């Protein structure tokens, strides 16, 4: 079990949190204009990198707020946590 | 005291001879299979055996079948709800029933049956529905009440005073387990004997391509590996958890997500558990291995991961469920736990078939349940490669189903536990 640093509550145990998948997936600006194919990419297709991944987490058993994190999917280490209205910070991946 | 000078262990029997050669990769093959897990090896076996195609290489970045094939809990069943799933898994189960003879190698296939427990009224309705769907597809299935469940598995707690009482279960008597390493070795030995090159320590890094995906002329002409470039006629990706990292190199997107999936075993116990018990609702499944370990697993860890380990609280939860269902497990010691990397899809069904590259087939997304399909999938992929026509059992699992909306949503029957 690892500690996750909620931007509001500070470090808390992993089991207080829930995972929300890839971050920064914006709702289509002009939904009527999308082809079926574009819709499917919006609804189902997500990145699946081996390395740094920007993703959403919610502190369900704490402040119940969503936030973003950059996590290394090889080591599971959190490289950064940040609020959803902030841009993805640049982080250095250990030993790429 | 003995005066003998031989080192400890010198009296043990010799290790068996190697089961396959370790050839240097040739510079070109008719068919290159990426990934030496059960799926890649089964495909190679049936290519040689059913179609006489032997100019084939299986490229494996680590050791043969050291990925999910070595880590899975070996449950085999075909009681899936939808026709598309039922057909491919039942095709596999029929092959399992003759596989030891086909391979000339022991695989310890033991048809001890599976109970899929129902804990709520909705579970009961879904289970009965699935049993009827199975029967229509010629698959053995029955719905049992708690008393009959207890007759098949007496150590199961079917009392009413637990949080999620057992209201009943589906039962598939032909389901079972097999020795996963032996299965892989049997396929490997057979493919090798037919002339297929099984190449370990050979990581696929990138692809050489020609043409463009825009006008349908794209082809993969070569594979860039840690042991040099290899030219190829046809390519099949059987790289389980790593499919999307490879397809990223080709600019092909899939809705695959890679997750850690954990399992664990207890110390060796006398035979106490005669069948397989699965519960999607309380999230644990158990069988007893041939040697005596209780083999247990549950669902994937929630987050994406390539680390081949998972979080401790996931194990803790599945143990809590196991002890409630099987009170006699309370004092069993956990011997070891491990994880694989499984690739899951939004509809819990695999992605198999064509890609924007005309000579590249993909086989992925079997997630938590692809061991049981190993012979069936290998058979169908080999047939597809040999004839150029998608075998009807794999055709429904094409990538374009996410666009057409023809999803094969097997969450109901498959759940996340297998
Ligand atoms: C803990 C656990 C329990 C499971 N339990 C069951 C079960 O009870 N029943 C069931 O039906 N299924 C089960 N599964 C799922 C099953 O193991 C998988 O669906 C199945 O093994 C996938 O196919 P495969 O055997 O070819 O995969 P793998 O054995 O993972 O083969 C893929 C191979 O590709 C190699 N590879 C990856 N990238 C590259 C590259 N770039 N170059 C070269 N090689 C590469 C890997 O090293 C690996 O050996 C379980 C899985 C896990 C992890
Ligand atoms: Zn918080």
């Amino acid at each position: 079990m690892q500690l996750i640093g909620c931007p509001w509550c500070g470090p808390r145990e992993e089991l207080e949190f829930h995972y929300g998948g890839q971050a920064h997936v914006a709702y289509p600006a002009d939904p009527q204009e999308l082809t079926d194919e574009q819709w499917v990419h919006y609804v189902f297709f997500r990145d699946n990198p081996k390395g740094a991944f920007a993703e959403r987490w919610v502190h369900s058993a704490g402040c119940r707020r969503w936030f973003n994190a950059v996590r290394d999917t090889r080591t599971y280490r959190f490289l950064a946590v940040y609020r959803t209205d902030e841009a993805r910070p640049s982080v250095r991946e250990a030993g790429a | 005291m003995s005066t003998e000078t031989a080192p400890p262990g010198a009296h043990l029997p010799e290790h068996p001879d190697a089961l396959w050669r370790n050839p240097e990769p040739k510079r070109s093959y008719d068919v290159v299979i990426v990934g030496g897990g059960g799926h890649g090896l089964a495909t190679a076996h049936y290519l040689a055996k059913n179609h006489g195609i032997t100019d084939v290489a299986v490229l494996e970045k680590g050791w043969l079948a050291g990925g999910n094939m070595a880590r899975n809990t070996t449950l085999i069943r075909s009681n899936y709800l939808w026709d598309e799933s039922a057909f491919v898994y039942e095709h596999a189960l029929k092959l399992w029933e003759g596989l030891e003879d086909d391979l000339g190698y022991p695989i310890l296939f033991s048809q001890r049956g599976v109970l899929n427990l129902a804990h709520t009224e909705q579970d009961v309705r879904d289970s009965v529905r699935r049993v009827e769907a199975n029967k229509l597809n010629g698959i053995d299935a029955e719905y049992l009440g708690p008393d009959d469940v207890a007759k098949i598995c007496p150590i199961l707690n079917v009392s009413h005073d637990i949080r999620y009482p057992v209201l009943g279960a589906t039962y598939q008597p032909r389901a079972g387990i097999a020795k996963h390493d032996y299965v892989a070795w049997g396929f490997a030995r057979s493919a090798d004997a037919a002339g297929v090159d099984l190449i370990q320590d050979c990581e696929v890094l990138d692809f050489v391509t020609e043409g463009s995906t825009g006008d349908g002329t794209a082809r993969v002409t070569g594979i860039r590996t840690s042991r040099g470039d290899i030219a190829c006629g046809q390519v099949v990706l059987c790289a389980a958890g790593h499919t999307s990292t490879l397809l990223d190199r080709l600019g092909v997107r899939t809705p695959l997500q890679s997750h850690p999936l954990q399992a664990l075993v207890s110390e060796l116990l006398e035979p106490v558990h005669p069948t397989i018990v699965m519960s999607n609702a309380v999230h644990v499944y158990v069988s007893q291995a041939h040697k005596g370990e209780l083999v247990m697993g549950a669902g994937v860890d929630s987050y994406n991961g390539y680390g081949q380990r998972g979080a401790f609280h996931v194990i803790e939860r599945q143990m809590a469920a196991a002890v409630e269902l099987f009170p006699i497990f309370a004092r069993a010691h956990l011997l070891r736990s491990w994880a694989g990397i499984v690739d899951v899809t939004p509809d819990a069904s695999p992605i198999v078939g064509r890609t924007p590259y005309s000579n590249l087939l993909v086989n992925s997304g079997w997630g938590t349940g692809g061991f049981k399909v190993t012979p069936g999938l290998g058979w169908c992929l080999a047939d597809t490669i040999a004839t150029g026509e998608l075998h009807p059992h794999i055709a429904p699992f094409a990538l374009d189903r996410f666009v057409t909306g023809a999803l094969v949503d097997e969450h109901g029957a498959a759940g996340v536990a297998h």
Side-chain angles (χ1 to χ4, degrees):
Chain A
M1 188 153 358
Q2 64 173 329
L3 295 176
I4 300 178
C6 170
W8 289 280
C9 310
R12 290 288 195 279
E13 285 190 351
E14 180 180 342
L15 77 167
E16 293 189 10
F17 297 83
H18 277 97
Y19 186 57
Q22 185 175 352
H24 309 294
V25 180
Y27 189 79
D30 214 348
Q32 305 86 315
E33 294 306 306
L34 261 53
T35 62
D36 286 356
E37 194 143 333
Q38 288 166 327
W39 263 117
V40 161
H41 280 260
Y42 167 67
V43 174
F44 289 128
F45 285 54
R46 295 291 179 268
D47 295 344
N48 187 28
K50 190 174 185 176
F53 189 32
E55 55 193 20
R56 289 152 40 93
W57 287 81
V58 60
H59 189 188
S60 353
C63 64
R64 297 163 67 189
R65 286 198 261 191
W66 284 93
F67 61 94
N68 289 344
V70 179
R71 192 179 53 95
D72 190 324
T73 61
R74 297 164 303 180
T75 60
Y76 310 159
R77 264 197 61 196
F78 282 73
L79 306 176
V81 290
Y82 55 106
R83 296 203 321 247
T84 50
D85 57 354
E86 293 175 325
R88 175 181 171 155
S90 68
V91 288
R92 250 167 44 100
E93 286 178 57
Chain B
M1 247 181 91
S2 159
T3 54
E4 208 174 325
T5 53
H11 307 296
L12 294 173
E14 290 288 311
H15 281 295
D17 288 344
L19 292 173
W20 52 83
R21 300 162 296 134
N22 250 324
E24 280 300 309
K26 291 191 286 182
R27 295 284 57 110
S28 155
Y29 291 93
D30 287 347
V31 181
V32 173
I33 297 170
V34 180
H39 289 196
L41 295 169
T43 304
H45 163 78
Y46 290 112
L47 272 174
K49 178 163 177 131
N50 293 356
H51 307 284
I53 297 173
T54 57
D55 188 24
V56 177
V58 179
L59 310 181
E60 167 55 47
K61 72 173 171 163
W63 66 93
L64 226 49
N68 295 316
M69 189 66 178
R71 294 160 203 268
N72 77 75
T73 47
T74 82
L75 305 189
I76 296 163
R77 61 188 180 91
S78 65
N79 54 353
Y80 282 71
L81 174 66
W82 299 116
D83 291 351
E84 296 89 337
S85 307
F87 291 163
V88 70
Y89 286 110
E90 177 60 17
H91 178 55
L93 183 47
K94 291 210 173 85
L95 289 168
W96 281 112
E97 288 172 329
L99 197 56
E100 201 155 290
D101 287 341
D102 179 16
L103 298 176
Y105 196 78
I107 58 163
L108 276 61
F109 181 47
S110 160
Q111 288 180 287
R112 55 184 63 185
V114 64
L115 291 164
N116 292 78
L117 304 182
H119 297 278
T120 64
E121 289 299 332
Q122 188 59 43
D123 272 358
V124 171
R125 284 189 287 268
D126 290 344
S127 301
V128 172
R129 178 185 180 209
R130 181 154 50 81
V131 162
E132 296 306 325
N134 290 160
K135 287 183 188 161
L136 289 171
N137 280 323
I139 293 169
D140 57 321
E142 310 170 47
Y143 186 77
L144 305 176
D147 294 345
D148 288 326
V149 168
K151 273 184 210 138
I152 291 173
C153 189
I155 59 170
L156 191 65
N157 181 4
V158 295
S159 70
H160 291 293
D161 57 359
I162 61 175
R163 176 74 181 83
Y164 296 103
V166 175
L167 302 184
T170 67
Y171 184 51
Q172 183 180 23
R174 284 164 63 242
I177 58 173
K179 192 95 173 107
H180 48 356
D181 293 332
Y182 291 12
V183 172
W185 298 342
F187 278 123
R189 177 175 165 269
S190 156
D192 172 85
V196 171
D197 282 357
L198 308 175
I199 301 165
Q200 307 181 76
D201 270 322
C202 181
E203 180 168 8
V204 172
L205 305 169
D206 209 345
F207 302 89
V208 187
T209 62
E210 65 178 26
S212 110
T213 51
D215 60 14
T217 57
R219 285 175 53 81
V220 175
T221 56
I223 316 283
R224 293 245 136 98
T225 83
S226 56
R227 297 175 67 176
D229 285 7
I230 297 171
C232 52
Q234 298 202 57
V235 190
V236 195
L237 297 186
C238 291
H242 280 89
T243 309
S244 50
T245 65
L246 289 166
L247 287 176
D248 282 349
R249 316 286 318 181
L250 289 162
V252 176
R253 262 168 85 79
T254 54
L256 290 166
Q257 298 280 290
S258 298
H259 288 260
L261 175 64
Q262 306 192 65
L264 52 92
V265 290
S266 73
E267 62 195 320
L268 304 185
L269 301 169
E270 299 175 18
V272 287
H273 187 7
T275 183
I276 302 161
V277 172
M278 307 179 57
S279 168
N280 288 348
V282 304
H283 245 117
V284 72
Y285 61 90
V286 191
S287 69
Q288 188 166 16
H290 297 85
K291 260 195 304 181
E293 309 97 318
L294 298 167
V295 183
M296 297 185 232
V300 296
D301 279 45
S302 69
Y303 47 74
N304 292 32
Y306 289 89
Q308 289 185 322
R309 65 183 170 80
F312 184 70
H313 65 264
V314 176
I315 295 179
E316 213 173 11
R317 282 180 193 156
Q318 80 196 48
M319 288 305 89
V323 170
E324 178 132 312
L325 285 177
F326 301 93
I328 71 160
F329 291 179
R331 286 192 172 75
H333 292 109
L334 167 64
L335 209 63
R336 60 197 163 85
S337 73
W338 64 89
I341 307 165
V342 299
D343 47 353
V344 301
T345 64
D347 63 353
S349 286
I351 298 173
V352 187
R354 300 198 198 289
T355 66
Y357 293 81
S358 62
N359 62 338
L360 175 76
L361 291 170
V362 65
N363 167 53
S364 63
W366 293 94
T368 62
F371 172 72
K372 63 179 67 65
V373 85
T374 301
L377 181 274
W379 202 98
C380 294
L381 264 188
D383 184 77
T384 299
I385 294 163
T387 64
E389 296 288 320
L390 283 177
H391 189 282
H393 288 342
I394 57 177
F397 300 108
L399 182 55
D400 71 4
R401 76 175 183 275
F402 295 94
V403 178
T404 62
L407 300 177
V408 187
D409 190 343
E410 271 290 355
H411 281 102
V416 274
H418 283 263

